[in-house]
Amino acid sequence: MKDAQPLSADILIVGAGPAGLVMALCLAKLGIGSIVVERNAGINEHPKAHELNARSIEILAMLGISLEELAVEASPPKDGCRIAFSMRINEEFGSIDLLRDIDDPEKYARHLASPLPYMNISQTEIERILLERVSANPLIDLKLEHQWQSHEDDGEYVHSVILDRRSQEEFVIRSPFLIAADGAGSSIRKALGISMAGPDKLQDVIGACFETSLRNVVQRPAKLYWVFEPDAFGTFIAHHIDKRWVYHLPIYAPWESADDYPEHVVAERIKRALGTQDIDIEIKSMSVWHMTMQIAERWRDGRVFLVGDAAHRFPPTGGLGMNTGIADAHNLAWKVSAFLRGNATDTLLDSYESERRPVALRNGQESVVNFERMFDLIDALGVPRHGAESLAKLKNNALFRALPKSWGTALMRRLNASASKKIRNKLDDPQHRLKIAEIVREQIPHFDRIGLDIGYIYEEGALICDQHAIKHTAVTQYSPEAVPGGRFPHIWLQGNSGASSCHDLMSYGCWTMLSANSSPPWADATKDLPVKSIAIDALDVDQDSKRRLRDICNIGGEGAILLRPDGHVAWRTHESVSSLSEPLSRIVEKCGVKPSACQP
């Protein structure tokens, strides 16, 4: 360690991606300062994730980031609700319209306060907004071009060595906690010796970003185009049809590498996928990435916590990676804040891993299911499931490489043409077309995942389980009941001043007790407790709203429910309790929460 006096911070966050930035903003909302160090000079302009889900929209709204602000760079909603399956981009043979083709298109409107259940927006643009908020927040010290080098945890503080990459000078930051938000290749995770469970490679992919409007090229707008023409096999992600595109093509090591796909080759492939040569494609950036599904074995090591991609890596099939990381930060920030204020024990900190790791594991598993389900469509189109890999292997064969280049090119053209003909013959067969349509429909859970987005339920952690509660929800379904461990459901409450969400009864800075009525014994039991106590029968809303709120809580006419700062249910009772001392003592013991943590 360096001899110079270390800098001090309440929290040190390493990494300024979505998880790290949301962590800093959540802490700041609770009055906790942080230092955020980021090795890069700013945002990585190469687009990565592009789907903001319902829960992330709620969390960002809590941080003061509105839909209107996000919508500036998001796709128009009508573009963002379609997924197309095609030969070349305008030869569509199947599609999913999330406003029409799912079993219950109105479910999102019923269960969300936001008018939009998801947004198709580049991660780079989300980071830009978050970075602006972080830079303007007096409680957050953002240090760009600073790199974490090492740390020591003495049990009371973490002493981190930081390199200023501009001056090449090192210094020390001392903080009670270190948050590793440093991405999929997390140096902190590796230094801690924390292993990752799961396959380290499902597929190698090249992503090519280009900026142009294809509004006049595509016949039917969508956010995703799966292109199955063999000589252009890949996926277009329309981060914004009028502005920003990414084309993903799989590569197959060791038979080929990124060196086989320089920019001009990829640009020509993009033109083939678009079905036109009459367009200029200028590649802005390219990246090579490994599709994996791995979950860190441990999410905590002493006073160090892993969040976001440092803790989990998913296939992009499902759009769950960035969103899971945002929810990680939201879960951890209030717990760390409570501990720093002396309002919680170490047990509450341990609940971060016990709550979030199972959610990440399920999300990762569903992402793999989505990835593998796409191969069912390849099979139905009548070509080998791993045909593209076989071609890559053939091209790497010594005999093939010995052929004159023109001969090899001609052979590849003939093989691709043969595969294309097989696919088109399948598509021309009316009976087989019905089978393909059914397999396209089976891809719906890849995109319609309300159960994963807002229906996940913590089964252990900072909560007291309800033996009668439903513990699992389907991917495409959501049951709006205030189950311990689950997100408190949204319903609209109608009052004299108009409609408001029941979520407005809660705040991120305190615990909330909702009781069925304000008559004794609940009034006497809660009047002196450091809990924001609200009686449903005393709310300034109409009787129907009160009834529906009681029904959602499922507490009968005498019970109560305790809501955590993050909006998840901690405990509920269906019966009247003359004293809250016993259930609160259970919460203190089980959740590691002191009653003073519940101050409004």
Side-chain angles (χ1 to χ4, degrees), residues 22 24 73 110 116 118 129 135 209 261 265 282 311 316 331 411 446 467 545 549 574 581 589:
V22 167
E73 289 297 331
R110 287 198 306 273
L116 293 178
Y118 44 79
I129 293 170
S135 299
C209 171
Y261 293 93
V265 170
E282 183 177 344
N331 179 285
L411 178 57
H446 185 151
Q467 294 180 350
S545 295
L549 186 55
H574 304 268
S581 60
E589 179 181 358

Side-chain angles (χ1 to χ4, degrees), residues 176-223:
F177 295 102
L178 168 62
I179 308 300
D182 53 340
S186 174
S187 298
I188 297 174
R189 184 190 68 234
K190 293 174 182 176
L192 292 169
I194 297 176
S195 60
M196 301 291 282
D200 63 354
K201 188 174 75 170
L202 297 171
Q203 177 71 66
D204 290 330
V205 180
I206 293 177
C209 171
F210 58 102
E211 294 184 344
T212 189
S213 174
L214 295 181
R215 182 72 65 178
N216 294 326
V217 175
V218 297
Q219 294 174 0
R220 301 186 66 191
K223 65 179 172 183

Side-chain angles (χ1 to χ4, degrees), residues 54-55 58 111-113 453-458 478 480-490 503 566-569:
R55 187 60 174 145
E58 290 179 346
H111 300 312
L112 299 173
D453 290 348
I454 63 172
Y456 55 86
I457 298 168
Y458 302 140
Y478 170 66
E481 182 187 351
V483 177
R487 160 193 169 275
F488 188 62
H490 152 78
H503 286 183
D566 62 357
H568 282 253
V569 179

Side-chain angles (χ1 to χ4, degrees), residues 379-383 421-433 436:
D379 289 340
L381 291 172
V383 290
K421 185 177 180 180
K422 288 181 180 179
I423 296 173
R424 292 174 187 275
N425 286 341
K426 292 288 186 181
L427 293 172
D428 288 340
D429 181 340
Q431 289 300 316
H432 205 81
R433 189 72 177 245
I436 290 170

Side-chain angles (χ1 to χ4, degrees), residues 506-533:
M506 306 177 291
S507 67
Y508 191 53
C510 69
W511 292 63
T512 303
M513 179 77 77
L514 278 179
S515 60
N517 64 71
S518 54
S519 62
W522 277 116
D524 292 338
T526 60
K527 65 182 181 181
D528 296 323
L529 290 170
V531 179
K532 180 182 177 182
S533 184

